[in-house]
Amino acid sequence: MSQRCVKVGLLGLGTVGGGVARMLLEEKQRLSSRLGAELVLERAVDLDPALARDQGIPPERFSTDAGAVLDDPEIDIVVELIGGLEPARSFMLKAINSGKQVATANKMLLAHHGVEIFAAARQHRVGVAFEAAVGGGIPLIRSLREGLAADCIVSCLGILNGTCNYILSRMTSEGAPFQEVLAEAQAKGYAEADPTMDVEGLDTAHKLAIVAALITGAQPDIADIYTEGISAIEPVDIQLAGEFGYRVKLLAILRNLGGKVEARVHPALVPADHVLASIEGPFNALHIHGDWVGDVLLYGQGAGRRPTTSAVMGDVMDLARGIVAGCPDRVPPLGDAGAEGGRLEIAPMDDTACQYYFRCLALDQPGVLATVSRVLADHRISIKSVIQKGRSSSGPVNIVMVTHEAREKAVRAALKEIDQLPVIAEPTRLIRRA
Ligand code: HSE
């Protein structure tokens, strides 16, 4: 009897697509042996033929037309690595509607169109795998979907953007300003030429939307996820937070409140002895708390060609194993066969309760601290600790406070009043505690 052959069609030969092509060609024997079936790169597609030549893809297996993959009934698995919303969305839906299995690293597409894509996958009983969409090479999706399939995930705290973690790590170790570290990161190729998606927290929000969908079986509207990046963080805030015993990290925060979730992305104070405080440089980590498992930490490289290729190829192997076993949709995309795949309700940001760090720039005059404290007290915000930095008869000084737990709505109202006081020189800086 001839051995079963599983045929892969690859859309996109960029950094990760090129890695996937190379692994399929160079490691074919190992992959096929583990699969118990021949795993073949049947066709690769890109607009640039030079990319195919770079990866040693035979010309007869290359096309500039996505139809060469999507319309070929022989192709079992489509790997979508072109990124962006369109035409990636149309290509993926076409592949699913044709009964092909799909692997993708496209977090933006899943965060925006997950409901539609997962519904199509359910209808056509195909597998959709997206390990590389969150946390690069860390097997994070599979851990949540399969390893922790029996747990209720109570909370997740994630460092999910390597660019931001690299920048904050350098700002912490060197006291350098954001713009300087960003420019250096761009020069070294660690940050994109247009860093907006990364530094303004949007990339992290896309990843958090996917994690939220995985732990609830329902998809949030990305617009409901409060998102604040790191571009306004100043070295002085990192240093002062350090004096209170905290590190500043860009966190994806998710708490499962049952029925709805708290989901937000913002710079956060992490206690120096928390495991996430020690995640440095471009690394990613996800700290999970499950009701039975307790605490789990997943850590590794969140970007880069080899780690991300590893994640995509793990998906290809998983889908191929499903095909060989005759059940490629064995595990539902969001791991929950009972969920309807509808919209997930996100708790309003105004309802968030946490501790806060404030840095007020105030004139150094008698009664200023009392005035600021009075406004906070009026809004039922209780101060845990306070320090004043420096002494000046003319210019403003930093008054830094960490509060007990307070509500976002009250904090916003109080800061609005504080910033209107004649003794306050600049808008008060705020960082939430994790
Ligand atoms: N741009 C992302 C990061 C990697 O800096 O972590 C891809 O998700």
Side-chain angles (χ1 to χ4, degrees), residues 262-275:
E262 197 179 298
R264 47 196 163 96
V265 173
H266 53 71
L269 301 181
V270 178
D273 60 358
H274 190 284
V275 66

Side-chain angles (χ1 to χ4, degrees), residues 350-361:
D350 269 355
D351 294 352
T352 297
C354 63
Q355 289 180 257
Y356 290 80
Y357 158 103
F358 303 139
R359 177 166 60 87
C360 304
L361 254 135

Side-chain angles (χ1 to χ4, degrees), residues 107 132-133 160-164 190 192 198 203 207 282 284 302-303:
K107 60 211 158 232
L160 298 177
N161 186 274
T163 305
C164 288
Y190 295 162
E192 305 274 351
D198 290 321
D203 174 80
K207 292 166 177 169
N284 281 199

Side-chain angles (χ1 to χ4, degrees), residues 166-171 174-187 191:
Y166 171 82
I167 291 173
L168 290 174
S169 297
R170 293 287 304 271
M171 288 176 72
E174 289 158 33
F178 169 80
Q179 283 300 345
E180 187 183 310
V181 180
L182 172 62
E184 203 182 300
Q186 285 172 312

Side-chain angles (χ1 to χ4, degrees), residues 114-344:
V115 168
E116 182 183 28
I117 288 166
F118 297 137
R122 261 195 308 278
Q123 186 190 344
H124 294 278
R125 302 208 54 195
V126 305
V128 175
F130 46 93
E131 186 61 73
V134 186
I138 309 169
L140 181 162
I141 305 292
R142 197 163 284 106
S143 297
L144 286 169
R145 192 162 61 177
E146 299 191 50
L148 297 171
D151 266 62
C152 170
I153 304 302
V154 179
S155 66
C156 291
L157 290 180
I159 293 175
L160 298 177
N161 186 274
T163 305
C164 288
N165 204 52
Y166 171 82
I167 291 173
L168 290 174
S169 297
R170 293 287 304 271
M171 288 176 72
T172 304
S173 60
E174 289 158 33
F178 169 80
Q179 283 300 345
E180 187 183 310
V181 180
L182 172 62
E184 203 182 300
Q186 285 172 312
K188 288 184 174 165
Y190 295 162
E192 305 274 351
D194 179 357
T196 313
M197 292 296 289
D198 290 321
V199 302
E200 298 308 340
L202 304 168
D203 174 80
T204 304
H206 288 145
K207 292 166 177 169
L208 180 59
I210 293 170
V211 171
L214 265 174
I215 72 161
T216 62
Q219 190 87 19
D221 185 334
I222 188 83
D224 292 341
I225 297 181
Y226 176 82
T227 304
E228 181 186 317
I230 63 166
S231 57
I233 296 287
E234 295 181 35
V236 65
D237 293 309
I238 294 178
Q239 184 216 321
L240 292 168
E243 292 184 25
F244 282 101
Y246 297 107
R247 298 289 301 268
V248 179
K249 296 285 181 189
L250 182 75
L251 287 192
I253 298 173
L254 195 142
R255 291 189 218 287
N256 192 350
L257 309 173
K260 59 182 170 182
V261 303
E262 197 179 298
R264 47 196 163 96
V265 173
H266 53 71
L269 301 181
V270 178
D273 60 358
H274 190 284
V275 66
L276 288 180
S278 62
I279 308 301
E280 298 285 8
F283 280 84
N284 281 199
L286 185 69
H287 184 269
I288 302 165
H289 186 81
D291 60 348
W292 284 72
V293 72
D295 290 333
V296 173
L297 181 75
L298 301 169
Y299 168 81
Q301 296 187 65
R305 183 184 218 204
R306 291 181 72 90
T308 312
T309 295
S310 162
V312 174
M313 285 305 300
D315 280 346
V316 170
M317 289 294 282
D318 199 29
L319 293 168
R321 282 173 171 154
I323 291 167
V324 171
C327 51
D329 66 336
R330 180 184 65 90
V331 183
L334 296 177
D336 188 344
E340 293 300 314
R343 278 283 170 213
L344 175 63

